[in-house]
Amino acid sequence: MPAAPQKTSAPVLFLPGIIMPAAMRYAPLIEALGDAANAVTKDREIYSTPQPPEDYSIDMEVAGIDRAASEAGFDRFHLYGHSAGGACALAYAATNPDRLLTVALDEPATDFSPQAKSGFLRDIQALDSLPEAERTRAFVAMQLGPGVDPPAPPPGPPPDWMANRPAGMQRFIEAIQNFSIASGRFSSFAQPVYYSCGSLSNPFYFEVRDRLAAAFPHFHAELYEGLHHMQTSHSREPIRVANALKNLWAGAL
């Protein structure tokens, strides 16, 4: 009697946002995925040094994704990105589509459109005039919908890794303002794309969703009621997100 075929875990790279480290950000989701995923978490290149590199760019993040996938032994792989990581995932999809099986985006920081660059992102850049202690609080508040209270900060002193986050946030916004994606690049991306967003997030993320839905040929979006950019789907509903990813991966080309 022939042996049953062995199940293989999906090769997937997880990219975090601009604040929380990747391993912390994705611990609940990776646990929910279990053996279904050969999961690798990759932190932002902007935090590869104590202060943002002088020559930091989105191209540096794209090269870092490529390198991390190769070091993990991935030929083609699934890519998941939240916020800043979602923006980097979009940049990678535009420049290295042949390595990707699918892309999953949780409220990406931008779609690199002129509308994003001239609106929400410009408003975030204006926070640079605030004192550092106020800048992070204002940044968090801007991620939420009208009338939504920001979550209370955790008790005690901030962790050591928070020290370079205010500088990193501003440098990242500068980098995405300076990065362009040629018209039609998303429309030629043949692989499935999944987009998740919380109902209490800033309307900007719904605008990004709608623009990407019109651009990608195989696009599916889900709304997570009662959640927002700082209380994300993958941390609050990891089992639901895990099931959505398994369905996405099953449709990979």
Side-chain angles (χ1 to χ4, degrees):
M1 182 176 179
Q6 291 185 336
K7 292 184 178 180
T8 57
S9 299
V12 54
L13 197 65
F14 289 96
L15 308 176
I18 202 64
I19 297 180
M20 188 179 292
M24 295 175 60
R25 162 63 60 192
Y26 290 114
L29 177 56
I30 291 173
E31 181 180 2
L33 285 166
D35 293 340
N38 179 7
V40 173
T41 56
K42 188 207 174 296
D43 283 310
R44 303 268 54 75
E45 291 291 317
I46 199 169
Y47 299 132
S48 60
T49 54
Q51 290 298 315
E54 289 294 329
D55 59 346
Y56 176 74
S57 67
I58 297 302
D59 288 320
M60 186 179 291
E61 295 286 0
V62 168
I65 294 169
D66 213 46
R67 183 175 61 251
S70 295
E71 290 174 352
F74 298 163
D75 180 16
R76 299 182 69 206
F77 59 99
H78 306 278
L79 188 58
Y80 183 109
H82 162 70
S83 192
C88 294
L90 282 169
Y92 192 85
T95 54
N96 296 268
D98 292 342
R99 289 202 72 179
L100 292 178
L101 294 165
T102 67
V103 174
L105 306 164
D106 183 65
E107 299 191 4
T110 185
D111 58 347
F112 300 100
S113 66
Q115 298 95 316
K117 291 184 178 185
S118 64
F120 184 67
L121 297 180
R122 183 186 58 195
D123 294 341
I124 290 180
Q125 278 188 297
L127 300 179
D128 198 29
S129 62
L130 296 175
E132 188 171 290
E134 297 178 27
R135 196 185 311 159
T136 302
R137 290 196 295 270
F139 174 84
V140 168
M142 284 186 65
Q143 310 309 309
L144 311 178
V148 179
D149 293 328
D160 292 342
W161 50 260
M162 272 296 298
N164 58 359
R165 266 40 182 183
M169 285 186 282
Q170 288 305 118
R171 182 64 67 82
F172 182 77
I173 296 298
E174 293 171 8
I176 58 179
Q177 291 283 47
N178 292 328
F179 186 83
S180 297
I181 292 176
S183 177
R185 292 296 291 172
F186 292 153
S187 62
S188 63
F189 188 81
Q191 296 88 322
V193 177
Y194 172 80
Y195 190 104
S196 56
C197 54
S199 65
L200 302 181
S201 289
N202 190 302
F204 168 78
Y205 296 108
F206 302 106
E207 296 167 7
V208 169
R209 176 198 62 191
D210 294 345
R211 287 193 293 268
L212 293 178
F216 284 110
H218 304 290
F219 185 92
H220 173 68
E222 283 193 78
L223 182 67
Y224 287 74
E225 291 288 348
L227 299 183
H228 54 64
H229 201 77
M230 310 308 297
Q231 294 177 343
T232 61
S233 56
H234 49 265
S235 62
R236 295 306 177 100
E237 295 194 44
I239 294 175
R240 178 181 168 186
V241 175
N243 288 333
L245 291 180
K246 291 174 190 177
N247 289 334
L248 176 73
W249 300 341
L253 301 177

